[in-house]
Amino acid sequence: YDYVLVAKTMENQEREEFKKQIEYIEELKKKNMKVTKIIDDDLVFYGIQAPREIFEMYRYLLKVSDACNWSSDQNAVPLSTIRIVHFILNHTPIHSGKQKELKDSWARNYFGEKVALYYLWLGWYTYLLIPPAVIGVIVFLYGLAFFNSSPLKEVCEADTIMCPLCDKRCKVWQLSDTCMYAKQVSLLFDNNGTVLFAMFMAVWTLFLEFWKRHRASFVCEWKVSDWCEEEEELILEIVNNANCEPKEYKHSYLRSTLVLICVTAMILVIIGLTHALVVFRVIAAVLMADGSWEFLSNHSNSCAMMLGAVFHYLIITVMTRINRIVAMKLCEIEKTRSHAATEKSFTVKMFTFQFFTYFSSLFYVAFFLGINGHPGGYVRIAGKWRLEECHPSGCLTDLFIQMAIIMVLKQTISNVFEFTVWLKRRRTHKLQRKCAHCYLKDESEAKHGSELCDNCKLRNWLSNYRLNDVDSFSLFNEFLEMIQFSFTTIFVAAFPLAPLLALINNVIEIRLDAIKMVTLERRLVPKKTNDIVWTGVLEAIGVLAVIANGLVIGVSSDFIPRLVYRYLYGPCANSTAADTCMVGYINNTLSTVRMGDNNILNEFLPKQMVTAGGLNVSHCYKDYRSNEDYSLTPQFWLILAVRFAFVILFEHVVVICKFIAAWFVPSAPMQVKNDRLFDKLNRLKEEL
């Protein structure tokens, strides 16, 4: 059987639904479809078999088409017939009441080239994750070499008193308290090796060019290099109804404007959730600081950041469902001409929503966290709650915490859930044998297509009916999980271990996806295609990766301040004593805040200015500001200028490298091009 339709049995044959079922089956019989009916307790099954003539007509129309003729000599009757039957079932109208076409109420689908390309892409992407995973671990370990560097010695041996990190409960603290963080977190991720790794990852996105070559070899072998999904839909329309009218191309400025407004509104809602997340972290930090648990009180900002990351993951989980519904509704408003156009439009919208959902908070942490004023002039929410500050060891630590928690939670929970579902089904699955009559049939009869008895058919159909339902966008969900590609490339400077986690996840993901598609879900309708619809999205991520990593290194990390100090303000500015170039760097990044100022007295309580040893302090330290009026120093503006100059230089160098590599690597192997050339020559000679 090419297709199995399933419906609920109805005792009342006067019901409108029953009449529509009967009318629909009769319409199929008019198209020479063979229909076998088997009734279970509460279900009725219709086995559908298409006549051979349908496939022959389809293959002939492929031969005379413009884009699909290269595939006309294929003999894959089963897969193509299933696709044709699926199209006919979805486009067979019934005439009682309003004319409608069958859509999603029937079940049973099969695989095709589109699924094959998904696994081809996932395998290739996983294979090419090995080099960045290895280099990321090396960069991570390279940070250990900085343990005895001058900046670290200054941090660990300093007796500098730092200003309170929060209101009321937080007290002044010593810079040396961050020694452990500086060793174990900050310099493991914020070092010179990270800069080179970020550049490598930005260039690594060129693997998309090699993917195109890899893909070209297979689509040539499958004879779908020039395949056009929209043209195939036109052919299927003719196979279904020889008197059909083509769906004309249409464009509505009103609909386009409405969709644009809705997309903008949705993005603003997602950004609003990011603001809500900031407020949540600020209030959580205040509540934990005022709590009775000493550990939470002493580490309120870090705990609030971690709690915020978990909350962010929950927002991602909920918004993924909402984003899908909104994107689908917007596609309906657009009234796209074909399923291929709908899929492309849906992909762009869904990725846009998901990108803002995942990365709005990360962009805030990377580029805006810590911009909260200065002692005596802090920025406050509603004039009450002081805006959060960066981790004592630097803002890059906060970005690392956010990315690590979200990535680990997403990959772990998703894979554990899929594995649990498979394990549960495997334990409850019972071996189903054929009845004695079917089991004892001669093997030669089976080879000639002898059918099972109705009981055995029904058992098989019930087993498949109870599998999880799928639709034309089910494969999209698997691609959507590959948004980890964004984590692997964007902000990788803050988390060099991201490629390693992605590699481990993909090794598991490939097998779990295969298990899910084969044993847990009904089969997808086989569809031909010559590319994954996400190619444009992946290329966009590659461009964003260059920009984001340049900004992380130039703006968020301490790479540029260290560079400026080494050559302009440090001991090596006028000498060549390389081993002492960074001496005094930490003190150079701090400025004094006098506790006698009225604004400072209003900002902090007297008890906050008492150290753990009971010493009252008269001043604490902040960033590049004047000791008199707390204005930004010329060194701050110089560093800012160098930061943006580095970002521009970094982006241009990497983009040029990407363009050169893209030009150097052909999009398809020469063997593939030659095979297509000779194939076309032979077909032309045959026609002549």
Side-chain angles (χ1 to χ4, degrees):
Y1 290 91
D2 302 313
Y3 220 94
V4 178
L5 305 179
V6 188
K8 298 288 185 181
T9 55
M10 299 181 190
E11 295 181 0
N12 184 5
Q13 298 186 0
E14 296 300 321
R15 290 182 60 180
E16 188 69 22
E17 291 82 358
F18 180 80
K19 293 180 179 179
K20 289 181 179 179
Q21 278 185 23
I22 300 302
E23 184 179 355
Y24 181 78
I25 295 300
E26 292 302 319
E27 289 292 331
L28 292 180
K29 290 180 178 179
K30 290 178 182 178
K31 295 182 178 181
N32 296 325
M33 297 284 188
K34 180 183 176 183
V35 181
T36 302
K37 180 180 179 180
I38 300 178
I39 300 178
D40 190 36
D41 294 334
D42 59 343
L43 297 173
V44 55
F45 293 84
Y46 295 95
I48 308 297
Q49 286 178 296
R52 175 77 182 182
E53 292 75 16
I54 285 182
F55 177 74
E56 295 299 335
M57 184 191 303
Y58 170 79
R59 189 162 62 175
Y60 175 76
L61 290 172
L62 286 181
K63 186 175 182 180
V64 298
S65 70
D66 293 330
C68 305
N69 52 40
W70 203 38
S71 303
S72 61
D73 60 342
Q74 296 188 77
N75 294 314
V77 179
L79 287 182
S80 297
T81 304
I82 293 167
R83 184 165 61 254
I84 298 166
V85 173
H86 174 74
F87 185 89
I88 293 174
L89 293 178
N90 280 336
H91 294 79
T92 297
I94 55 178
H95 304 286
S96 59
K98 294 183 178 179
Q99 181 173 323
K100 295 183 178 179
E101 295 177 349
L102 182 70
K103 288 297 180 184
D104 301 321
S105 59
W106 306 86
R108 188 75 192 264
N109 302 310
Y110 298 85
F111 291 136
E113 286 87 348
K114 186 163 286 190
V115 174
L117 272 176
Y118 164 70
Y119 283 104
L120 189 68
W121 146 255
L122 187 56
W124 181 252
Y125 168 48
T126 303
Y127 176 74
L128 287 183
L129 274 174
I130 296 175
V134 173
I135 296 175
V137 173
I138 294 174
V139 170
F140 177 78
L141 298 177
Y142 171 74
L144 298 174
F146 283 79
F147 272 18
N148 295 319
S149 64
S150 295
L152 266 178
K153 284 185 178 180
E154 287 187 48
V155 171
C156 297
E157 299 173 0
D159 56 0
T160 305
I161 304 297
M162 304 299 293
C163 297
L165 292 175
C166 66
D167 295 332
K168 297 181 182 180
R169 186 70 181 264
C170 298
K171 293 185 177 182
V172 290
W173 50 284
Q174 287 192 319
L175 181 61
S176 58
D177 294 342
T178 65
C179 178
M180 180 186 69
Y181 294 118
K183 283 184 177 181
Q184 296 184 356
V185 180
S186 182
L187 287 182
L188 286 177
F189 301 103
D190 189 5
N191 54 63
N192 294 335
T194 304
V195 179
L196 297 177
F197 182 58
M199 293 186 68
F200 167 78
M201 286 303 298
V203 176
W204 175 81
T205 56
L206 277 171
F207 91 90
L208 290 173
E209 300 299 324
F210 293 95
W211 154 248
K212 292 175 183 177
R213 288 173 57 85
H214 187 61
R215 176 191 61 82
S217 300
F218 282 86
V219 298
C220 177
E221 180 182 341
W222 299 337
K223 297 186 181 297
V224 290
S225 298
D226 297 319
W227 188 262
C228 176
E229 293 183 57
E230 292 193 352
E231 189 159 330
E232 189 209 17
E233 286 191 39
L234 183 61
I235 291 173
L236 291 173
E237 289 278 4
I238 299 173
V239 172
N240 178 51
N241 181 7
N243 299 318
C244 68
E245 294 293 331
K247 295 180 180 178
E248 298 181 0
Y249 290 94
K250 295 179 180 179
H251 178 74
S252 171
Y253 288 101
L254 179 60
R255 287 198 187 96
S256 299
T257 303
L258 180 59
V259 169
L260 183 60
I261 293 173
C262 292
V263 169
T264 304
M266 189 65 183
I267 292 174
L268 292 177
V269 169
I270 296 172
I271 295 175
L273 290 174
T274 301
H275 286 80
L277 199 58
V278 173
V279 175
F280 170 80
R281 287 198 298 260
V282 170
I283 297 177
V286 172
L287 294 177
M288 284 189 283
D290 294 338
S292 58
W293 194 1
E294 184 178 354
F295 177 83
L296 285 180
S297 179
N298 295 336
H299 302 85
S300 59
N301 285 338
S302 298
C303 292
M305 180 61 68
M306 294 180 185
L307 190 61
V310 175
F311 188 48
H312 186 196
Y313 170 76
L314 296 177
I315 290 176
I316 290 172
T317 304
V318 174
M319 288 304 298
T320 297
R321 296 177 179 273
I322 297 175
N323 291 343
R324 182 187 178 93
I325 295 172
V326 173
M328 191 60 69
K329 292 294 182 184
L330 292 177
C331 289
E332 292 176 4
I333 294 175
E334 278 185 320
K335 292 186 177 180
T336 48
R337 177 179 170 273
S338 62
H339 177 76
T342 302
E343 190 176 21
K344 291 177 183 177
S345 178
F346 177 79
T347 300
V348 172
K349 292 177 180 61
M350 189 65 181
F351 170 75
T352 302
F353 295 154
Q354 287 295 93
F355 181 83
F356 278 93
T357 302
Y358 273 87
F359 288 98
S360 292
S361 180
L362 296 179
F363 270 94
Y364 168 79
V365 172
F367 306 125
F368 300 101
L369 182 65
I371 304 178
N372 63 338
H374 57 85
Y378 284 120
V379 178
R380 296 181 178 274
I381 298 176
K384 183 178 181 181
W385 295 292
R386 174 176 157 186
L387 208 58
E388 56 190 339
E389 289 200 30
C390 292
H391 189 276
S393 61
C395 294
L396 218 57
T397 302
D398 297 284
L399 184 58
F400 159 72
I401 292 172
Q402 286 267 311
M403 289 188 65
I405 291 177
I406 293 172
M407 196 169 183
V408 170
L409 281 178
K410 184 182 183 302
Q411 294 182 353
T412 303
I413 293 177
S414 174
N415 288 332
V416 167
F417 177 76
E418 289 184 2
F419 179 76
T420 304
V421 172
W422 170 76
L423 195 62
K424 182 179 179 181
R425 180 174 179 82
R426 185 180 182 184
R427 287 176 178 174
T428 57
H429 178 71
K430 296 180 180 179
L431 180 63
Q432 296 181 350
R433 299 178 67 98
K434 299 176 183 177
C435 68
H437 173 71
C438 295
Y439 184 77
L440 295 175
K441 274 188 176 181
D442 186 74
E443 185 179 350
S444 61
E445 291 182 9
K447 288 181 179 178
H448 288 87
S450 61
E451 294 186 0
L452 300 176
C453 68
D454 286 354
N455 287 334
C456 290
K457 287 180 190 174
L458 183 60
R459 185 185 297 116
N460 290 338
W461 290 356
L462 276 171
S463 176
N464 284 279
Y465 174 72
R466 288 166 183 153
L467 296 175
N468 295 330
D469 196 8
V470 294
D471 56 32
S472 56
F473 288 96
S474 294
L475 188 61
F476 182 88
N477 297 332
E478 307 304 331
F479 274 111
L480 197 58
E481 292 182 8
M482 289 297 102
I483 202 168
Q484 57 146 261
F485 178 69
S486 304
F487 281 94
T488 309
T489 52
I490 302 175
F491 298 135
V492 72
F495 192 23
L497 296 181
L500 177 63
L501 292 181
L503 175 63
I504 296 172
N505 173 78
N506 283 9
V507 171
I508 301 172
E509 183 78 23
I510 291 176
R511 283 146 186 83
L512 287 181
D513 282 352
I515 291 171
K516 181 172 65 176
M517 286 188 182
V518 172
T519 64
L520 302 179
E521 295 179 341
R522 299 170 187 167
R523 293 183 182 178
L524 289 163
V525 173
K527 292 185 178 179
K528 286 183 179 292
T529 187
N530 56 13
D531 199 1
I532 56 175
V533 73
W534 280 74
T535 299
V537 170
L538 296 173
E539 290 177 343
I541 292 174
V543 175
L544 288 172
V546 175
I547 299 172
N549 281 298
L551 288 171
V552 168
I553 297 170
V555 177
S556 303
S557 75
D558 290 333
F559 172 72
I560 297 300
R562 288 198 297 263
L563 205 64
V564 171
Y565 179 80
R566 173 184 288 270
Y567 294 106
L568 295 179
Y569 294 93
C572 294
N574 298 314
S575 66
T576 58
D579 55 335
T580 60
C581 286
M582 298 305 294
V583 173
Y585 167 72
I586 297 298
N587 284 333
N588 179 259
T589 63
L590 303 173
S591 56
T592 306
V593 175
R594 303 290 177 184
M595 299 309 302
D597 294 350
N598 291 331
N599 290 336
I600 304 301
L601 291 174
N602 295 331
E603 195 81 67
F604 302 120
L605 299 175
K607 66 177 183 179
Q608 291 184 268
M609 306 312 297
V610 180
T611 64
L615 177 65
N616 286 305
V617 298
S618 59
H619 56 270
C620 57
Y621 290 85
K622 195 61 181 170
D623 56 353
Y624 298 99
R625 292 185 179 273
S626 168
N627 295 336
E628 286 75 27
D629 58 1
Y630 307 124
S631 61
L632 296 169
T633 63
Q635 185 177 354
F636 169 84
W637 296 110
L638 175 62
I639 291 174
L640 185 64
V642 176
R643 285 183 189 273
F644 285 108
F646 171 83
V647 171
I648 294 173
L649 180 63
F650 176 87
E651 291 175 359
H652 279 68
V653 169
V654 174
V655 168
I656 290 173
C657 291
K658 285 169 68 72
F659 275 121
I660 292 175
W663 164 79
F664 188 76
V665 179
S667 59
M670 294 299 105
Q671 183 63 42
V672 171
K673 292 185 176 182
N674 288 330
D675 287 345
R676 294 186 59 195
L677 176 65
F678 282 101
D679 182 83
K680 184 177 292 186
L681 178 64
N682 292 333
R683 285 192 294 108
L684 290 174
K685 287 181 177 180
E686 184 180 346
E687 287 293 322
L688 183 61

